Amino acid sequence: MVEIWGRRNSSNVMSVMWTVGELGLEYRRHNVGGTFGGNDDPAFRALNPNGLVPALDDGGKVLWESNSIVRYLAQTYGAGTLWPGDPYPRAVADQWMDWAKTTFYPTFIPVFWGLIRTPPEAQDHEAIEQAARASGSVLAVPEERLSAEPWLGGSEFTMGDIPLGALIHRYFTLPIERPALPGLEAWYERLRERPAYRKHAMISYGSSIVDWIRLEAEGADVQ
């Protein structure tokens, strides 16, 4: 059984939980972060000295950083499926995992925080709109890929789809203007057909910081 520390409505924790779900692993998840706190508890800092979620313990093997955890779980328990067997397809999957973190996430997180995790009176709508435009612009890159292939890694679903997929539900359900992205939209619909995605990535976040806090405390049921 693997143990995961982190609130399940953290996008980074979602990536790990979705991976666990795809692999059918038994797990125990501990609520840490957000309204649950615990980031600075000595026991948690012993797992992750950064005080951030997620953290993983697999029989005494401890890891932090969500992409590293996803890669470890995919290689250990999903070789040949989530973890491509050939080096080149595996590198392509790695490429998209890193792209989601380094390129899309920085443009999109101001949108989500601005609309959902900021009180209405403090929201900077010009900044939110600018970030939404930036997010739509960078998504032209996976749009080109997904117009030619069903998955970011190619013909099969792999770990390469997970980091961006964990964020894309929010992108498509927030009240923002989006460019036409038919390839990406079709990919999102394919993700929505996966039970593990519905359970672990399609997390309700509400429409305000009040809803966010309430849903987090309730366990954030599937939307």
Side-chain angles (χ1 to χ4, degrees):
M1 177 183 293
V2 298
E3 291 190 80
I4 300 103
W5 282 259
R7 54 186 176 83
R8 68 186 292 255
N9 62 350
S10 155
S11 60
N12 289 325
V13 177
M14 282 182 210
S15 290
V16 173
M17 295 305 303
W18 177 16
T19 304
V20 166
E22 291 285 350
L23 295 169
L25 301 178
E26 292 187 13
Y27 67 88
R28 179 180 294 115
R29 185 181 58 80
H30 308 274
N31 282 319
V32 175
T35 59
F36 300 105
N39 302 71
D40 292 323
D41 290 353
F44 181 69
R45 286 279 181 166
L47 295 168
N48 185 350
N50 303 289
L52 300 172
V53 296
L56 170 86
D57 186 337
D58 182 16
K61 291 173 280 191
V62 175
L63 284 171
W64 35 269
E65 292 295 335
S66 60
N67 276 4
S68 294
I69 295 172
V70 170
R71 288 183 178 107
Y72 165 78
L73 293 173
Q75 183 176 18
T76 304
Y77 300 104
T81 56
L82 291 188
W83 179 267
D86 293 334
Y88 179 67
R90 188 163 64 244
V92 171
D94 268 334
Q95 164 187 276
W96 286 108
M97 293 178 73
D98 291 341
W99 183 91
K101 285 290 187 184
T102 62
T103 305
F104 180 66
Y105 184 87
T107 67
F108 179 65
I109 199 63
V111 181
F112 186 79
W113 277 71
L115 286 171
I116 302 301
R117 303 199 63 181
T118 303
E121 65 275 10
Q123 291 180 2
D124 184 340
H125 292 283
E126 183 177 347
I128 293 168
E129 291 170 7
Q130 182 178 353
R133 287 193 297 271
S135 295
S137 178
V138 299
L139 284 173
V141 177
E143 168 65 20
E144 182 177 2
R145 172 70 168 176
L146 293 166
S147 295
E149 297 283 357
W151 305 103
L152 289 170
S155 60
E156 303 293 334
F157 174 83
T158 69
M159 64 183 183
D161 295 285
I162 289 176
L164 182 59
L167 294 165
I168 213 68
H169 173 67
R170 293 177 176 178
Y171 177 77
F172 278 120
T173 53
L174 284 173
I176 57 175
E177 290 189 15
R178 289 175 286 273
L181 298 165
L184 198 78
E185 291 169 17
W187 172 71
Y188 173 53
E189 289 304 315
R190 287 189 287 276
L191 292 178
R192 286 164 56 90
E193 294 173 0
R194 307 184 74 86
Y197 186 77
R198 293 196 300 270
K199 180 176 181 179
H200 296 292
M202 294 174 64
I203 301 295
S204 294
Y205 52 78
S207 59
S208 69
I209 191 170
V210 174
D211 286 348
W212 170 268
I213 292 171
R214 174 179 57 81
L215 289 164
E216 183 174 80
E218 292 174 356
D221 291 332
V222 172
Q223 230 172 215

